[in-house]
């Protein structure tokens, strides 16, 4: 039977060839050698003639290059992981990633040295320092954006819970809209969220959870698959004691005044 394999990811190789009098001719010869294989395409990676300086300066720069290279590679991997995670969270493949507005493959094939940011005639040490500083800024920006994204996702999840979650966490304004709740200088109606199966325990005990609970005031306001919401009227001065006693019995008390829709 025929088996169709998924396409392999694109691999890029940076190939350094011996210097010749005509770099363009060297690139053309490489293209010609690969033309019939169908294995690869060749693009000229254009680099300017950088100011090398003295041999001592180059040797002194070797240690810095190793450190900067490791730092750049680390930041690039962070960006790659972030793009992969974002694509996975959105159900995509990450193909929308771009560099300077172009797909990565096009950017690499048409790469051009930014002489304005990194003057070719500047000392190599200055060029390396400028690249390192630029990468550090990218890293800081990535951290800030990742934190903003995490905060936005957390806020979205919290909003979703408030809209679609159980009575223990959801927004109660739509639930209690139109209900006659007591709210005066001395009396208040609190909401008691009771798990299914514990409603009998609640109805038998709520009047004794604190002093000054209005007898027979419990009113079933809403219910879902996991909880029932009761309104209980009591004196305001007993509200804190009622909350504490209800929590000890496994009941959650919610403020219905804060959840009530503003008068229209």
């Amino acid at each position: 039977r025929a088996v169709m394999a998924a396409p392999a990811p694109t691999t890029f190789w940076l190939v350094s060839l011996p210097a010749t009098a005509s770099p363009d001719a060297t690139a053309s010869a490489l293209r010609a050698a690969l033309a019939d294989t169908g294995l690869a395409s060749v693009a000229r990676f254009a680099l300017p003639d950088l100011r090398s300086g003295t041999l001592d300066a180059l040797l002194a720069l070797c240690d810095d290059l190793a450190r900067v290279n490791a730092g750049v590679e680390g930041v690039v991997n962070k960006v790659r992981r972030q793009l992969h995670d974002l694509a996975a969270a959105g159900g995509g493949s990450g193909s929308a990633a771009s560099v300077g507005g172009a797909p990565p493959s096009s950017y690499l094939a048409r790469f051009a040295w930014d002489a304005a940011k990194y003057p070719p005639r500047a000392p190599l040490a200055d060029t390396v320092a400028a690249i390192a500083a630029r990468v550090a800024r990218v890293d800081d920006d990535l951290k800030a954006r990742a934190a903003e994204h995490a905060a936005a996702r957390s806020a979205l999840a919290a909003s979703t819970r408030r809209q679609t979650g159980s009575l223990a966490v959801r927004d109660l304004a739509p639930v209690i809209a139109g209900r006659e709740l007591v709210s005066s200088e001395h009396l208040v109606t609190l909401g008691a969220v009771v798990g299914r199966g514990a409603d009998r325990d609640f109805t038998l005990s709520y009047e004794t959870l604190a002093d000054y609970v209005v007898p027979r005031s419990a009113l079933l306001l809403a219910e879902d698959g996991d909880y029932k919401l009761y309104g209980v009227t009591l004196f305001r001065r007993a509200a804190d004691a009622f909350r504490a006693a209800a929590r000890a019995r496994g009941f959650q008390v919610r403020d219905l005044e804060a959840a009530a829709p503003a008068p229209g």
Side-chain angles (χ1 to χ4, degrees), residues 168-218:
V169 296
R170 68 179 298 183
D171 180 13
L172 294 180
V175 174
I176 63 175
R179 294 284 189 172
E180 293 294 333
L181 304 178
V182 178
S183 178
S184 66
E185 180 181 357
H186 299 292
L187 292 171
V188 65
T189 298
L190 296 178
V193 181
V194 180
R196 285 192 175 275
D199 47 342
R200 177 175 173 79
D201 180 25
F202 173 78
T203 55
L204 291 176
S205 64
Y206 77 93
E207 295 178 0
T208 61
L209 292 179
D211 294 333
Y212 309 111
V213 176
V214 177
R216 299 184 180 179
S217 63

Side-chain angles (χ1 to χ4, degrees), residues 34-210:
L34 293 172
D36 296 334
T37 67
L39 296 177
S41 60
V42 178
R44 178 88 180 275
F45 201 74
L47 294 175
D49 292 329
L50 300 175
R51 181 181 174 186
S52 59
T54 65
L55 178 60
D56 288 342
L58 288 175
L59 291 175
L61 193 57
C62 284
D63 291 341
D64 287 341
L65 283 175
R67 174 180 53 80
V68 171
N69 182 70
V72 171
E73 187 174 348
V75 173
V76 170
N77 282 330
K78 286 182 184 179
V79 174
R80 177 185 60 79
R81 286 194 298 270
Q82 189 70 40
L83 289 173
H84 179 272
D85 292 345
L86 289 174
S93 62
S95 58
S98 64
V99 183
S105 57
S106 298
Y107 175 82
L108 289 172
R110 301 170 186 172
F111 174 81
W113 184 269
D114 192 340
K117 291 181 180 177
Y118 312 108
R121 303 310 298 164
L124 279 181
D126 293 350
T127 301
V128 171
I131 293 174
R134 175 79 173 178
V135 172
R137 289 194 296 271
V138 170
D139 191 24
D140 291 340
D141 187 46
L142 177 64
K143 291 176 182 176
R145 290 175 181 269
E148 291 173 1
H149 179 258
R153 290 192 64 179
S154 177
L156 176 61
S159 176
T160 301
R161 287 195 300 271
R162 287 194 298 270
Q163 297 301 320
T164 62
S166 69
L167 289 169
V169 296
R170 68 179 298 183
D171 180 13
L172 294 180
V175 174
I176 63 175
R179 294 284 189 172
E180 293 294 333
L181 304 178
V182 178
S183 178
S184 66
E185 180 181 357
H186 299 292
L187 292 171
V188 65
T189 298
L190 296 178
V193 181
V194 180
R196 285 192 175 275
D199 47 342
R200 177 175 173 79
D201 180 25
F202 173 78
T203 55
L204 291 176
S205 64
Y206 77 93
E207 295 178 0
T208 61
L209 292 179

